[in-house]
């Protein structure tokens, strides 16, 4: 579709950009009252964009147009991701209102950057051209670097931002090198054209194609793997997660990771695979066996994340490692190239949003009240703030994958999809990892319920936090018993290549 | 060896040689000047590829803009930044080993792969300016990436202001 015609379908992103620019300008006009008004202004923008996303759903399912001369796709797949990004961005805005960590330095720019980052993520999930894939990834990265280093005179925050920039630059540079090899081989930057051209090259058995294609895939994986924090590109994440302001950590671990998965799925399913039957199953192009590559990476990612999480005493760091492990679980289902694998991944991303944001909200809340992120600070929390302790227990059990919470259903679908594809060794590693993760999640719960608190003074909860905890704990429980609506939405969002 | 080939090898050696100097020299000013040589030779390589617009942009932005900024930065911070750059040599051997393996792999790919090459003779092809077609692509097929770049630059600009403003605040208060 041409540029002017595409604008209508680009409405969510346009709204977000408009509000991002608006936030900067209004910050100058409102001045003192900006801190009070800006979150609500941002929320209106996110809400409008969300409505726009929902209104595009029927059209995406019927026509699925390719927009802006083939730069981005408007399909149910990208809309599902956009909805995830917008919901998590809205939660992050609400998280940031009261937190003492950054409330004093928050200005319009914070919200503008958050919105810009969300736009980048929306583009990542819908990019169908290497050029735009790279640009959207950079857009998310650059705004994340700044948000990570947002705290004034905070050594850890600055160090985290610094490390993030260096890792990011190296990773995206490597990815660009991979893109250039792919472009050299096929002469195209559009993912569909690349797939068609690779198919032809493999069919003609042109010598030298496999090696170049495999090296290109590994290079591209450096950039994508860095975004989803998979081994061996995960080393940045614990430091960045610990140093960044906690709302931003939550944003990175949920939305940024989901965006990485969106682009990864788009790249591998559209660019390096071809559908066998209509819309259900895919196969890799030629003898380019990237499935095994991803399987090994997934196994290492889960295991590394979980084994390192055991040793952590800082809850934020623990959640960082656990987030690496969850990336591994999802990667396990992504590489299957089956409908059930895709559906399980999308569903898990949705579930993961609520439970992980919930866990981080408790971290924010406790850090706010007690000034510490160490697990030791959670001693006897059950008697000081029973509601917080209860919700944290729900989130952690759900992250472990215990019934009757949403995480259980999510993991059930993931493992079922893996077993369906007869990758038994991977499924066994996955289950073993879930058992390991039980240990460190339950350790936190044990600290909250069985250990004696140093004081018995009850913790005061601001009403906003109470509402937010409710808003996150209800879906976590509800999706564990009645998950069909989200699962159906995930089913409808399957990618069409 | 034709004149074109000779010129290509000249610029290639200049590019790689000065790039090596950038990372090995211990003096920041020398490094900046070698970087200028690298960037200029890359611009020459662009000219040889008939990418005239790209070559001009390279000179204006990198050599004219960024490099002058780097030199200004060195000038303003002289004294503070006059330190000897320390280089860690502990990881030299494993690092270069990985680098060499990667280089061998890439060389193999470069020679073996069936690249999509346009078969035109460099000297005979019409010397048409690329500016017009770039302009048309930017406002046609590549409109969205072009606009997205502007948003990215805005974000980077805000970020730069935010980060530098913090430092100003610190100086005022201390």
């Amino acid at each position: 579709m041409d540029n002017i015609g595409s604008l209508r379908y680009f409405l969510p992103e346009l709204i977000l950009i408009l509000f991002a620019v608006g936030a900067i300008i209004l910050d100058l006009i409102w001045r003192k009252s900006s801190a009070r008004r800006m979150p609500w202004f941002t929320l209106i923008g996110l809400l409008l964009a969300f409505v726009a996303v929902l209104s595009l759903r029927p059209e995406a399912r019927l026509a699925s147009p390719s927009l802006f001369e083939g730069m981005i796709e408007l399909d149910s797949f990208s809309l599902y991701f956009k909805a995830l990004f917008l919901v998590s961005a809205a939660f992050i805005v609400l998280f940031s209102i009261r937190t003492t960590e950054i409330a004093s330095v928050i200005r319009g720019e914070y919200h503008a950057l958050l919105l810009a980052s969300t736009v980048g993520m929306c583009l990542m999930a819908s990019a169908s051209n290497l050029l735009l894939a790279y640009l959207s990834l950079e857009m998310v990265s650059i705004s994340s670097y700044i948000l990570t280093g947002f705290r004034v005179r905070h050594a850890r925050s600055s160090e985290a931002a610094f490390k993030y920039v260096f890792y990011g630059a190296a990773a995206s540079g490597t990815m660009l090198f991979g893109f250039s090899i792919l472009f050299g081989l096929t002469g195209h930057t559009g993912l569909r054209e690349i797939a068609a051209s690779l198919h032809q090259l493999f069919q003609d058995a042109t010598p030298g194609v496999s090696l170049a294609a495999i090296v290109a895939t590994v290079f591209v994986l450096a950039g994508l793997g860095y975004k989803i924090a998979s081994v061996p590109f995960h080393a940045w994440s614990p430091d960045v997660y610990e140093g960044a302001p906690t709302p931003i950590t939550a944003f990175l671990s949920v939305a940024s990771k989901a965006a990485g998965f969106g682009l990864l799925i788009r790249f591998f399913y559209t660019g390096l695979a071809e559908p066998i039957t209509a819309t259900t199953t895919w196969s890799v192009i030629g003898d380019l066996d990237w499935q095994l590559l991803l399987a090994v990476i997934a196994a290492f990612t889960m295991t590394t994340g979980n084994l390192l999480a055991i040793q952590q005493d800082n809850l934020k760091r623990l959640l960082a490692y656990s987030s690496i492990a969850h990336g591994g679980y999802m990667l396990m289902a992504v590489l299957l190239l089956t409908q059930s694998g895709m559906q399980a991944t999308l569903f898990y991303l949705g579930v993961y949003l609520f439970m992980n944001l919930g866990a981080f909200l408790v971290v924010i809340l406790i850090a706010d009240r007690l000034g510490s992120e160490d697990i030791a600070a959670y001693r006897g929390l059950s008697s000081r703030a029973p509601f917080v302790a209860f919700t944290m227990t729900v989130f952690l059990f759900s992250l472990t994958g215990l019934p009757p919470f949403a995480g259980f259903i999510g993991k059930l679908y993931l493992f079922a999809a893996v077993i369906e594809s007869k990758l038994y060794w991977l499924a066994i590693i996955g289950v073993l990892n879930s058992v390991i993760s039980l240990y460190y999640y339950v350790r936190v719960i044990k600290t909250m319920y069985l250990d004696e608190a140093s004081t018995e003074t009850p913790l005061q909860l601001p009403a906003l936090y109470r509402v937010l905890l409710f808003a996150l704990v209800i879906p976590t429980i509800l999706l564990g018993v009645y998950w069909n609506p989200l699962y159906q939405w995930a089913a409808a969002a399957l990618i069409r290549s | 060896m034709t004149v074109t080939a000779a010129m290509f090898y000249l610029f290639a050696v200049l590019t790689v040689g000065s790039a090596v100097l950038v990372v090995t020299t211990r003096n920041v000013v020398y490094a900046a000047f070698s970087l200028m040589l690298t960037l200029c030779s890359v611009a020459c390589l662009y000219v040889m590829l008939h990418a005239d617009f790209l070559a001009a942009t390279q000179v204006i932005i990198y050599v004219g803009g960024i490099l002058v900024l780097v030199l200004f930065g060195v000038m303003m911070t002289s004294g503070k930044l006059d330190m000897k750059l320390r280089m860690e040599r502990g990881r030299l051997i494993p690092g270069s080993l990985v680098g060499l393996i990667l280089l061998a792999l890439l060389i193999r790919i470069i020679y073996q792969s069936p690249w999509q090459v346009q078969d035109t003779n460099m000297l005979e092809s019409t010397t048409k300016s690329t500016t017009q077609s770039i302009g048309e692509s930017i406002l046609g097929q590549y409109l969205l990436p072009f606009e997205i770049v502007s948003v990215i630059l805005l974000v980077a600009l805000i970020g730069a202001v935010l980060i530098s403003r913090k430092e100003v605040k610190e100086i005022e208060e201390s």
Side-chain angles (χ1 to χ4, degrees):
Chain A
M1 195 177 282
D2 67 351
N3 288 320
I4 303 294
S6 310
L7 279 178
R8 196 165 70 81
Y9 301 103
F10 200 56
L11 202 58
E13 286 88 346
L14 287 178
I15 293 173
L16 290 176
I17 294 174
L18 196 74
F19 273 78
V21 177
I24 301 167
I25 297 172
L26 284 177
D27 189 48
L28 299 172
I29 298 173
W30 284 340
R31 286 167 182 278
K32 284 266 152 73
S33 61
S34 167
R36 190 163 40 80
R37 292 184 191 170
M38 199 54 78
W40 307 108
F41 173 75
T42 316
L43 280 178
I44 292 171
L46 289 168
L47 186 71
L48 284 179
F50 192 75
V51 172
V53 165
L54 290 186
S55 73
L56 285 174
R57 276 186 72 198
E59 292 186 67
R61 202 170 301 162
L62 290 176
S64 185
S66 183
L67 305 183
F68 293 102
E69 317 274 354
M71 285 293 153
I72 56 174
E73 300 275 326
L74 178 83
D75 44 16
S76 322
F77 175 80
S78 61
L79 289 182
Y80 181 84
F81 273 93
K82 283 175 197 175
L84 285 188
F85 303 145
L86 291 171
V87 170
S88 54
F91 272 114
I92 301 307
V93 171
L94 290 168
F95 284 8
S96 320
I97 294 179
R98 292 293 300 266
T99 161
T100 46
E101 236 181 346
I102 43 171
S104 55
V105 287
I106 271 191
R107 315 179 62 94
E109 290 93 350
Y110 177 85
H111 294 98
L113 288 170
L114 209 58
L115 288 172
S117 182
T118 315
V119 176
M121 288 170 188
C122 292
L123 289 170
M124 265 173 90
S126 48
S128 61
N129 189 299
L130 294 184
L131 182 63
L132 204 78
Y134 169 70
L135 286 178
S136 55
L137 194 114
E138 278 301 291
M139 193 157 163
V140 177
S141 300
I142 292 178
S143 34
S144 311
Y145 302 151
I146 304 164
L147 288 171
T148 303
F150 211 87
R151 277 189 277 181
V152 190
R153 271 160 296 170
H154 191 285
R156 275 193 185 277
S157 184
S158 309
E159 183 198 333
F162 205 64
K163 278 189 179 162
Y164 202 11
V165 170
F166 273 89
Y167 263 100
S172 55
T174 317
M175 185 175 80
L176 272 185
F177 206 106
F179 282 172
S180 75
I181 296 178
L182 274 181
F183 178 69
L185 279 178
T186 61
H188 293 287
T189 52
L191 287 175
R192 283 172 203 220
E193 290 85 0
I194 286 175
S197 179
L198 277 180
H199 180 82
Q200 194 61 40
L201 285 170
F202 275 111
Q203 210 164 37
D204 300 346
T206 328
V209 176
S210 327
L211 183 68
I214 284 173
V215 171
T217 311
V218 173
F219 279 12
V220 173
L221 208 54
L224 297 174
Y226 145 81
K227 265 273 159 276
I228 62 170
S230 70
V231 173
F233 314 109
H234 69 289
W236 57 274
S237 77
D239 287 336
V240 170
Y241 282 13
E242 194 189 344
T246 318
I248 297 305
T249 309
F251 193 52
L252 291 180
S253 79
V254 173
S256 181
K257 186 164 285 210
F261 270 105
L263 187 57
L264 186 127
I265 293 173
R266 178 81 68 182
F267 177 75
F268 278 101
Y269 279 60
T270 312
L272 297 178
E274 50 199 349
I276 303 174
T277 53
T279 57
T280 47
T281 319
W282 297 262
S283 77
V284 292
I285 289 181
D287 53 358
L288 189 63
D289 194 3
W290 51 263
Q291 273 183 297
L292 185 66
L293 180 75
L294 284 188
V296 173
I297 289 180
F300 272 107
T301 306
M302 297 186 271
T303 317
T304 315
N306 278 322
L307 289 182
L308 290 173
I310 292 179
Q311 307 157 10
Q312 303 309 321
D313 289 322
N314 179 311
L315 192 56
K316 216 166 149 188
R317 236 180 140 77
L318 185 144
L319 285 174
Y321 281 109
S322 106
S323 147
I324 295 177
H326 281 275
Y329 298 139
M330 285 184 267
L331 198 58
M332 191 168 73
V334 167
L335 61 92
L336 300 174
L337 281 177
T338 57
Q339 184 177 17
S340 46
M342 261 272 278
Q343 205 171 340
T345 314
L346 293 184
F347 180 73
Y348 200 82
L349 279 171
V351 169
Y352 178 71
L353 177 129
F354 292 111
M355 53 193 191
N356 213 38
L357 283 184
F360 272 112
L361 178 60
V362 175
V363 174
I364 294 173
L365 210 146
I366 298 300
D368 244 21
R369 299 283 119 185
L370 303 176
S372 170
E373 288 152 2
D374 288 339
I375 295 178
Y378 290 74
R379 273 198 201 119
L381 195 69
S382 59
S383 55
R384 300 181 68 188
F387 180 61
V388 178
F390 165 72
T391 50
M392 188 59 167
T393 310
V394 171
F395 295 135
L396 291 178
F397 272 146
S398 182
L399 281 168
T400 323
L402 291 179
F405 304 114
F408 169 70
I409 306 297
K411 268 201 181 145
L412 198 67
Y413 276 124
L414 284 182
F415 288 129
V418 176
I419 288 168
E420 192 188 284
S421 299
K422 301 199 169 53
L423 275 169
Y424 298 116
W425 64 275
L426 196 60
I428 290 170
I429 293 179
V431 172
L432 285 179
N433 267 297
S434 291
V435 177
I436 298 175
S437 73
L438 181 65
Y439 168 75
Y440 61 79
Y441 288 132
V442 168
R443 193 161 69 108
V444 179
I445 296 169
K446 182 201 131 231
T447 316
M448 289 192 302
Y449 277 92
L450 300 182
D451 290 3
E452 288 288 314
S454 45
T455 59
E456 287 295 318
T457 41
L459 285 181
Q460 289 301 317
L461 261 194
L464 176 71
Y465 282 150
R466 204 175 280 272
V467 172
L468 281 176
L469 275 178
F470 261 116
L472 287 164
V473 84
I474 287 172
T476 310
I477 297 175
L478 198 64
L479 286 171
V481 286
Y482 181 64
W483 61 88
N484 211 30
L486 186 64
Y487 192 64
Q488 287 310 321
W489 195 7
L494 288 183
I495 198 166
R496 271 178 257 197
S497 79
Chain B
M1 199 153 60
T2 60
V3 181
T4 328
M7 279 172 70
F8 168 76
Y9 284 114
L10 175 71
F11 290 129
V13 168
L14 269 180
T15 311
V16 177
S18 53
V20 168
L21 207 64
V22 173
V23 281
T24 49
T25 183
R26 279 159 186 265
N27 189 318
V28 188
V29 182
Y30 289 172
F33 274 103
S34 340
L35 187 63
M36 181 173 78
L37 200 58
T38 316
L39 296 172
C40 283
S41 338
V42 170
C44 295
L45 290 176
Y46 284 148
V47 172
M48 297 186 66
L49 290 168
H50 288 251
D52 50 302
F53 186 80
L54 203 56
T57 324
Q58 167 90 2
V59 172
I60 293 170
I61 294 176
Y62 281 96
V63 184
I66 292 177
L67 207 79
V68 170
L69 260 177
V70 169
L71 283 175
F72 259 119
V74 172
M75 218 171 72
M76 306 278 244
T77 54
S78 70
K80 272 183 206 163
L81 220 123
D82 207 17
M83 54 179 182
K84 284 267 186 293
L85 295 177
R86 241 188 304 161
M87 284 181 213
E88 208 175 311
R89 293 193 185 269
R91 291 179 186 163
L92 196 66
I93 294 168
S96 42
L97 207 66
V98 172
L100 282 177
I101 292 172
L102 204 62
L103 184 69
L105 193 69
L106 288 177
I107 288 177
R108 209 180 137 190
I109 289 173
I110 289 170
Y111 277 102
Q112 276 192 349
S113 305
W115 302 115
Q116 304 268 339
V117 218
Q118 271 185 322
D119 215 11
T120 46
N121 191 323
M122 285 253 177
L123 289 175
E124 282 176 14
S125 65
T126 51
T127 45
K128 209 184 111 194
S129 164
T130 52
T131 316
Q132 190 187 347
S133 48
I134 287 177
E136 278 167 5
S137 318
I138 279 181
L139 292 178
Q141 203 198 338
Y142 295 101
L143 179 69
L144 183 66
F146 181 64
E147 296 295 341
I148 293 303
V149 166
S150 66
V151 181
I152 294 178
L153 288 178
L154 177 71
V155 169
L157 206 69
I158 296 171
V161 170
L162 271 177
I163 289 169
S164 58
R165 189 164 61 184
K166 279 179 198 170
E167 283 171 8
V168 170
K169 222 188 230 169
E170 265 178 23
I171 293 164
E172 278 172 358
E173 282 173 15
S174 60

